Amino acid sequence: MSTTPDPLAALGTIPGVADSVDSVRKAVDRVYGHRIMRRRSNEITSEAALRGARGSAALSGAEWALEEVRRRSDFSGDDEARAVGGALRLTAEAGQLLSIWRQSPLRVLARLHLVAAAGADEAAGRPRLAGESVEEPLIELPLPDADEVAGRLEGLSRLIIQGGSAPALVTAAVVHGELISLRPFASYNGLVARAAERIVLVGSGLDPKAVCPAEAGHAELGRAAYVAALEGYASGTPEGMAAWIAHCGKAVELGVRESTAVCEALQRGAA
């Protein structure tokens, strides 16, 4: 019986990708094995959500201190405040969409954009139309036209619905990279792409308690490295794809480090 090739699984055979997958798996296992995770995982999840949102907003140009994000309640003042507010809302919303993702990823992406825009964009929740501009800080990759966006979104949706044997890291990296490359919405594409990456990592079972905030890791690696790695993804070459997947793997590992530090701090406080 013939089978349909799994292009995501094929990415796992690119030299170096398997090493990234293995390194991430070991890092995640370590934080899940921490003593504090057995008793206070909800606190770790909450703190990881905050740090992840802060990191995602930073990559969209709003570099706020963690305590400022923790303290603020009004995020309507300016573009930076709206980016932080959008990131926080998306982090909260992502957990509610896990069951829908595998059946209707495009519906989830539309919902994520609605949540990120929060009424600030009259085109919220739908892919951009021909001739519509895109506001996306820091990303200067060539912008595909609306027809190409529609076709590639459908292709991405089919891959997700069909499932396959690709490691969670590979799938998450491709979803993230594809959405940033396409920038299917008129705004907040970076926030949506990073929230979608979170959904894949959590929904796949790699990080079921959402305690490994890859967004925080992406921010720690820096904007320049983020953009350079995205250019590798957009190139479509095996080397570029491997570099992007490795970058996403490092981001997850740095997210693990963040939560491990939180575990250690809670453990010291309980001692």
Side-chain angles (χ1 to χ4, degrees), residues 250-270:
K250 290 175 185 175
V252 175
E253 290 186 57
L254 288 170
V256 168
R257 190 174 71 179
E258 289 265 330
S259 288
T260 300
V262 174
C263 287
E264 295 294 333
L266 288 174
Q267 183 166 280
R268 288 192 299 271

Side-chain angles (χ1 to χ4, degrees), residues 19 68 84 86 96 135 144 159 170 188 193 199 201 220-221 248:
D19 290 340
E68 177 69 4
V84 175
Q96 309 303 313
E135 181 181 346
L159 285 175
V170 171
Y188 298 111
I199 287 173
L201 294 171
E220 185 173 341
L221 288 166
C248 290

